[in-house]
Amino acid sequence: MASAIIPSPSPIILSKPNSANQHCHLLSCLNECRDMSRLKQIHAQTLRSTLPDQPDTLFVYSRILHFSAFNDLDYAYRVFDGIENPNSFMWNTLIRACARSSDSKAAAFLLYRRMLEQETVLPDKHTFPFVLKACAYLFALYEGKQAHAQMLKLGFESDVYVNNSLIHFYASCGCLESAQNVFDKMPKRSVVSWNAMIDALVQFGEFETALKLFVQLQDLFEPDWYTMQSVLNACAGLCALSLGMWAHAYVLRNFDVDVANDVLVNNCLLDMYCKCGSLDIALQVFERMHRRDLTSWNSIILGFAMHGKAELALEYFDLMVRTWKLVPNSITFVGVLSACNRRCMVNEGKKYFEMMIAEYKIEPQLEHYGCLVDILARAGLIDEALNLVSNMPMKPDAVIWRSLLDSCCKKNASIEVSEEMARQVLESKGGDCSGVYVLLSRVYASASRWNDVGLVRKLMTDRGVTKEPGCSLIEIEGVTHEFFAGDTSHPRTGEIYQFLDLIEEKLKSVGYTPDYSQAPMVDELNEGKQRTLRVHSERLAIALGLLSLKPGMPIRVFKNLQVCSDCHEVSKLISKIFNVEIIMRDRVRFHHFKDGSCSCMDYW
């Protein structure tokens, strides 16, 4: 019987999986992909059905990497490590994802270092912005400078996109001069370049320079919303209400935004109006908002606190947590505690401090302790305040000790306690400033110990400490006028000083008696002290306001230092004598003088 012939099996010939249909199918699936589970299936199919060294396959892997990088960074790393020769797009994708992740920003720079070690690919103009963004977030100045040097080496010094990122990086790391240097050397700038530089200047408190740059920008580009956001912040810093109102009108006229629904726009406006002394308009903005976030509520609560409206601050806090069910954060409680501080609400301050810890599990920061210490000390509870300071989990800073010294001065505490507080301030970091010497001199002046006042002045001279000059600003018809104590540089100096004489006569007629403890240390005679008091910067500004503004218009004065008790009393009297409202912001808060009284109820 013949044996059956069994044919040998034919070899299986695999066709190269490089067909356009296969890659198109995978790309189509990626376009429809919505979750990581589906992506992993596509990834598995790609591994089975494609050859890794083909250009079309690399493009598919680029899409897989991009999707996973912004949905599952760990998986993206595994995909990336499985690619033999990733191109610059793949490196940039992963660096960008790390730069955007709050937990992996340091990894962005480490990836960049790995990229430099490869011989097959170099960073391009898209790499550096992501690396610099991560360095800016981490305040990694040294690493960012390395990236800057590499950028110059590779010839990207003229790239607008890279330079914009450099401006932001240097500004974020506290190097305004370096940011300005990058901006000045740019051969070509976009509106983003101008926005980055203006915003950097605002961050550093260079508000006037920022607004001058804004004027230059208008000759080249149409300002966008980011420009106007910085302009509004600059107006808030300068207390330039007229310019802030112009910026508000500009936004309404030129931008296609529904202001009532745009939370970011309204939050900027809220902050600007509160800081410019127009709490009524700020409240109108807040009430007309269709949507509010926690920043909106924090802004209005802080605004009420700043203006001494403690009851309203606490009422809106209650409304926020009970009616709108928003969870407060640490900034919220800074506003609430500040409001309690403005009205000597000791029990309320303690209650909200405990609420923050027990109910909302917020760990108190130095600012919260500072508020509570100030509440206790300004209420005359110096011993209780000192006990709180001794039990704080962190070391008290110069601000807390200076607050205690200020309270000792106002509450006529013993000279010995005040001297101890002054010693603590001077031994604290950043405490060797003119303020502590001025406060200590006031303690001695209040006790009529003028020899000790002179010794404090000599100590300041020996240590090279100069007193920060008092400066007051007043805005009239959009023009800001600046005054220093005893200033004679204003074009209307003659009129101003003549009007001061008239004010002096009217003050005497209602029984005004100067508080000589607020005069400079060098004045020895009462007549000299009184002459010095009458030319404090805020009085010069008020005199110009009375001369220039129409009847019924409020006088808005902004001072860099805390208003002294003598000028506070004089401002109250002027408001009654001349039937005018005076809104004054000092370094601590707003004072609204009207009909002979102040919104602070003489507690500041």
Side-chain angles (χ1 to χ4, degrees), residues 581-600:
E581 181 181 7
I582 302 171
I583 301 171
M584 185 185 298
R585 190 183 90 176
D586 65 10
R587 187 160 59 186
V588 177
R589 60 173 296 159
F590 274 94
H591 300 263
H592 294 252
F593 301 99
K594 192 172 183 180
D595 298 327
S597 63
C598 179
S599 59
C600 74

Side-chain angles (χ1 to χ4, degrees), residues 355-370:
M355 179 191 295
M356 175 179 66
I357 300 169
E359 188 172 341
Y360 293 103
K361 311 302 179 187
I362 297 173
E363 184 177 346
Q365 302 300 310
L366 199 57
E367 300 92 329
H368 303 108
Y369 280 107

